[in-house]
Amino acid sequence: MSSTARLSSVLASPTVVALVINVVIYLLMVLAGGRSELAGPSTETLMRFGADYGPLVRQGQVHRLLASCFLHLNAWHLLLNSAALVSVGPRAEAAFGRGRFTALYLVSGVAGAAVSLVANAHAPVVSAGASGALCGIIAAVAVALLRLGSAGRPELGRMLLWLGMTLIFGVVVRADNAAHLGGMLAGAVLARVLANPRTAVSGSLKPAATMALAALLSFAGAVHFRARSQTAAQLVNAGVDLARADDDEGARDHYERALALEPDDAVAHFDLGLALTRLERYPEAIQHLQRALELEALDSHRSALVAAHINFGVSLAKEGKSAAAEEQYRHAIELDDSKATAFYDLGLELERQGRLADALHAFERAAQLEPKRLHQSAVEETRARLGASKAGVTTPGH
């Protein structure tokens, strides 16, 4: 065979094409990320190139299911998957033919990404790698060997061992075993559907071209959605930067976009609540701070919610909405009865309502918690007013 014919045969192999795509895309990610990402692409870079992330897939970015199969988290990840691809790819091509191999690889990869999406629905993760596709190929070869009976038993044992070790390794390094299992299942099922495996390897370029075209289309999707490729955590971090620059409206927008992706993100609810508090949109702020507290019962969440209730009460009091203001102060006290400010503001509101005995009790509690002059003066003045009112004498209020 001439060198040209050998080169043509190599280029016609979808295994080779998949390997080249994986390496080229990894190099492009490293170039895009810069020196800081030589050890491995950042989450931001992975997302821009199409990593699997359930919330965005559910919003219509379905290209991620396929694009993620050509991405890798670091050089070690790429090396391991490349070694597996080179080892099992030619065997699968020989068993099924290059066209069916291509179908097995792509379908198994997408199935693995989809199963990962479902398995991590409640705690979305950023996932990438060819492992799902490779597990599908190995499982398909195992099914083909099973048909051979005793003749295929030795090699079948090696394939099963490979699959088992993949799952064990996945547990040890906390890899995405959902993708592995999804790829295995898809490969095994598809191998059964392809009832007549082919032993001849076609020289047609169509399978290799199909592999390349699939990758090209998936990355075209990544380019199209590049402006909306952030995870919830990335949006929250961007919102924090905007809040530090006193752009609370911009921060609010980012936090709301984060919650559209992950509705149960406690950090996003908390930061959105803080932004809305600064914007004096207290009812919405309280709603989000309450949700943050429900999701994560942290002291910081409780303290922020208490402050929001107090501030809302003050705002309502300025509008003359006495009963509503009192309700907010009492909500604050129910959440944390060690806040002197809540008792003091409640006392002021009760005093305005003419409920001096109740106001005195609130002021006394504020003075117990924080014995500062403001609270002690309120106690003394209210006692004097209460005594005067009992004696039938009118005294000026605060």
Side-chain angles (χ1 to χ4, degrees), residues 59-277:
Q59 286 190 357
Q61 296 189 29
V62 293
H63 68 279
R64 293 182 179 277
L65 295 174
L66 182 56
S68 61
C69 302
F70 297 102
L71 305 180
H72 291 84
L73 305 177
N74 50 55
W76 180 245
H77 187 206
L78 174 64
L79 181 62
L80 286 177
N81 279 347
S82 296
L85 179 58
V86 169
S87 298
V88 77
R91 179 67 181 87
E93 286 187 21
F96 292 95
R98 287 178 168 174
R100 295 185 180 192
F101 168 86
T102 301
L104 281 166
Y105 189 94
L106 296 176
V107 172
S108 296
V110 170
V115 171
S116 172
L117 185 155
V118 173
N120 296 296
H122 296 296
V125 298
V126 176
S127 179
S131 302
L134 291 170
C135 284
I137 292 298
I138 298 170
V141 171
V143 170
L145 292 169
L146 190 61
R147 293 197 191 100
L148 298 179
S150 58
R153 195 166 296 160
E155 193 177 1
L156 173 61
R158 289 195 295 272
M159 292 297 132
L160 294 177
L161 178 62
W162 202 332
L163 293 174
M165 291 302 295
T166 298
L167 294 176
I168 293 172
F169 184 73
V171 171
V172 172
V173 302
R174 295 186 177 181
D176 193 353
N177 264 344
H180 296 161
L181 288 169
M184 289 180 195
L185 180 60
V189 170
L190 193 54
R192 294 288 295 176
V193 172
L194 303 176
N196 299 308
R198 299 174 182 176
T199 56
V201 178
S202 169
S204 171
L205 289 172
K206 288 183 180 179
T210 299
M211 182 75 76
L213 180 61
L216 181 62
L217 290 175
S218 68
F219 291 116
V223 171
H224 178 73
F225 287 104
R226 65 187 181 280
R228 298 190 70 86
S229 62
Q230 300 100 326
T231 64
Q234 289 174 319
L235 287 167
V236 169
N237 290 337
V240 170
D241 290 338
L242 289 169
R244 288 172 178 167
D246 295 325
D247 184 2
D248 287 314
E249 281 291 354
R252 175 197 59 76
D253 175 68
H254 279 70
Y255 299 143
E256 288 180 346
R257 286 171 57 193
L259 288 172
L261 295 174
E262 298 188 32
D264 291 335
D265 187 326
V267 175
H269 279 290
F270 177 67
D271 287 343
L272 176 56
L274 294 180
L276 290 169
T277 298

